[in-house]
Amino acid sequence: MTITPPALSVFETVESEVRSYCRGWPAVFDRAQGARLTDEDGHEYLDFFAGAGSLNYGHNNPVLKRALLDYLERDGITHGLDMATTAKRTFLETFQNVVLRPRDLPYKVMFPGPTGTNAVEAALKLARKVKGRESIVSFTNAFHGMSLGSLAVTGNAFKRAGAGIPLVHGTPMPFDNYLDGQVPDFLWFERLLEDQGSGLNKPAAVIVETVQGEGGINVARPEWLRALADLCRRQDMLLIVDDIQMGCGRTGAFFSFEEAGITPDIVTLSKSISGYGLPMSLCLFRPELDVWEPGEHNGTFRGNNPAFVTATAALEAYWADGGALEKQTRARGEQVEQALISITEENLVDIKEYRGHGLVWGIEFHDRARASAVARRAFELGLLVETSGPQSEVAKLLPPLTITRDELDEGLRTLARAVRETAV
């Protein structure tokens, strides 16, 4: 497929220079369905990006679209702040019955605002309020959002520099295998906590991703997560799991921490919780942590009722049937892994490592510029792949969970070709 870059005059002359994805994918997209997008010239692209994880059920999923259209056609509430509405009630009842109760999770549900960073800001604020301390511990290569509080617990130097002010009250610790197994897990962290001369203020909480998506597809071992949860309990720190990109089934189970057998004190969800790519986020926490005063944390767009409708439809369609989607995601993940084994064997000199879990995978190259070259070539061949890692050194695969086996195989063959054709 030969793609001619479109005339982007209005985007270049009116839109800010801050735009990024459109630079790597110079097309004007017009339609999308399932795992495919079509640009205004009729070129079709297989999507291994899925709205950065906000489209786990694919583009314009017909079940969710029907529920949304029916709701809008009957003049259902669109904007509701935190008012009680039928759409919110139905979502809360469904979320409780389909997600929380079967997993024996006692969480209260907070609607903090429409984006992931809103949920993280609420989690950090709540942890500090509950514990009466300001310090938060995060991990190397973490990514938690682009607002100031979230940036303070994000590791990426480029993103942090955009804040323009000092980012304080956060302390980074080594993520799982950051030190290549040469140091016992949490040795440094626990030593600092116990040493009155360490200079580490007692943290209110620890925030962690079970799989660091933006950080380079770094997968925490279940035993490492269990040890972290135990450390938090012993040291009177709250454990926050940021499940914004890895939740809603991305790793297999609905919550990415289920495999480790832990119950975080606070959980953040966004991206695919609405099911349809509509802005929505949740902050979940143990009932005893619900110390908010009415209106103490709010936001104009935390009552996105169309998102409640599609979220409810997604839960009923994909999570109320005893785990069919989870099994499919694990099977698709095995399909990806087998393909990556073959790609690695074909490119042993170039590929440093492949890693992932469920339907999130990454290929890290020795040449840090290679991942971007692979993504560019993949786009030319009709496949959307983004990069991740502190220097964009990882080609990141994030297809919809609903992708068919044939579509996944097609995309993996295209990826293999892109890797092959960018070899020096």
Side-chain angles (χ1 to χ4, degrees):
M1 179 172 64
T2 301
I3 298 171
T4 302
L8 298 176
S9 58
V10 70
F11 303 108
E12 294 169 343
T13 59
V14 178
E15 191 178 0
S16 167
E17 293 298 320
V18 78
R19 64 192 190 281
S20 60
Y21 290 117
C22 59
R23 298 179 188 275
W25 301 328
V28 178
F29 297 103
D30 183 51
R31 303 184 312 281
Q33 211 287 316
R36 297 182 187 274
L37 296 91
T38 305
D39 68 21
E40 62 182 1
D41 295 322
H43 298 122
E44 193 173 85
Y45 304 81
L46 193 56
D47 188 3
F48 272 25
F49 175 61
S54 63
L55 295 166
N56 280 4
Y57 312 109
H59 296 269
N60 286 304
N61 182 292
V63 175
L64 312 190
K65 180 167 64 174
R66 185 69 264 161
L68 177 59
L69 291 175
D70 288 346
Y71 182 76
L72 295 176
E73 286 172 354
R74 73 167 184 83
D75 292 331
I77 297 291
T78 299
H79 178 270
L81 293 157
D82 67 358
M83 294 183 291
T85 66
T86 55
K88 181 196 280 190
R89 179 176 59 200
T90 304
F91 167 73
L92 285 170
E93 290 173 346
T94 305
F95 189 71
Q96 184 177 48
N97 292 331
V98 173
V99 175
L100 297 182
R101 280 180 178 158
R103 294 162 179 79
D104 197 26
L105 295 172
Y107 296 138
K108 298 290 287 293
V109 178
M110 175 184 178
F111 300 97
T115 71
T117 198
N118 293 139
V120 170
E121 295 284 0
L124 301 180
K125 186 188 289 188
L126 180 61
R128 288 168 170 141
K129 181 177 174 65
V130 168
K131 292 299 182 182
R133 312 175 203 136
E134 81 285 350
S135 178
I136 303 288
V137 164
S138 58
F139 291 95
T140 50
N141 290 313
F143 178 79
H144 297 290
M146 297 295 282
S147 52
L148 292 180
S150 301
L151 275 178
V153 291
T154 287
N156 187 284
F158 174 75
K159 292 179 173 64
R160 289 175 62 89
I165 62 171
L167 297 171
V168 296
H169 308 304
T171 303
M173 291 291 166
F175 191 72
D176 191 13
N177 204 41
Y178 184 76
L179 299 173
D180 300 320
Q182 298 179 30
V183 177
D185 295 338
F186 308 113
L187 175 66
W188 173 242
F189 189 3
E190 194 149 19
R191 184 72 58 85
L192 290 178
L193 288 168
E194 294 176 350
D195 183 0
Q196 295 300 307
S198 70
L200 175 66
N201 293 332
K202 181 78 171 183
V206 175
I207 186 168
V208 67
E209 303 154 275
T210 65
V211 180
Q212 294 181 326
E214 299 303 309
I217 318 301
N218 306 310
V219 183
R221 294 166 296 141
E223 56 267 33
W224 186 86
L225 292 168
R226 288 192 289 270
L228 176 61
D230 180 65
L231 176 61
C232 287
R233 280 192 299 271
R234 288 187 287 105
Q235 294 289 345
D236 187 33
M237 301 179 296
L238 297 179
L239 176 61
I240 305 169
V241 169
D242 181 342
D243 232 5
I244 287 166
Q245 189 169 83
M246 298 305 153
C248 303
R250 177 54 57 180
T251 63
F254 186 86
F255 294 107
S256 70
F257 55 80
E258 291 182 52
E259 182 179 344
I262 63 174
T263 302
D265 299 293
I266 303 175
V267 179
T268 59
L269 287 176
S270 188
K271 291 195 182 285
S272 276
I273 186 59
S274 81
Y276 204 74
L278 298 175
M280 177 179 172
S281 75
L282 304 177
C283 186
L284 314 176
F285 39 81
R286 296 180 183 273
E288 61 269 24
L289 304 181
D290 194 7
V291 297
W292 293 114
E293 297 290 336
E296 192 174 8
H297 186 91
N298 55 31
T300 303
F301 293 101
R302 65 195 185 281
N304 186 352
N305 281 253
F308 299 158
V309 171
T310 54
T312 299
L315 294 178
E316 291 174 340
Y318 294 103
W319 296 101
D321 60 357
L325 181 64
E326 180 176 347
K327 294 174 185 175
Q328 177 178 295
T329 297
R330 295 189 188 282
R332 298 286 188 270
E334 293 172 2
Q335 184 181 348
V336 174
E337 185 172 17
Q338 290 304 310
L340 295 186
I341 289 172
S342 297
I343 292 172
T344 301
E345 289 175 348
E346 185 182 343
N347 300 271
L348 280 176
V349 176
D350 305 315
I351 294 177
K352 181 178 180 180
E353 184 183 21
Y354 70 87
R355 50 187 180 264
H357 190 45
L359 270 178
V360 54
W361 290 85
I363 307 175
E364 183 176 357
F365 296 89
H366 291 291
D367 178 358
R368 292 182 179 272
R370 182 74 177 281
S372 295
V374 168
R376 284 193 299 272
R377 183 57 183 146
F379 170 76
E380 293 169 353
L381 297 170
L383 176 69
L384 301 186
V385 174
E386 76 165 322
T387 61
S388 71
Q391 294 180 281
S392 298
E393 71 274 20
V394 176
K396 179 181 178 183
L397 313 183
L398 207 71
L401 306 185
T402 52
I403 194 169
T404 67
R405 178 173 289 277
D406 288 345
E407 288 172 330
L408 188 57
D409 185 58
E410 175 189 340
L412 291 168
R413 290 198 307 272
T414 302
L415 176 69
R417 179 179 169 185
V419 173
R420 190 181 311 119
E421 293 183 358
T422 54
V424 177

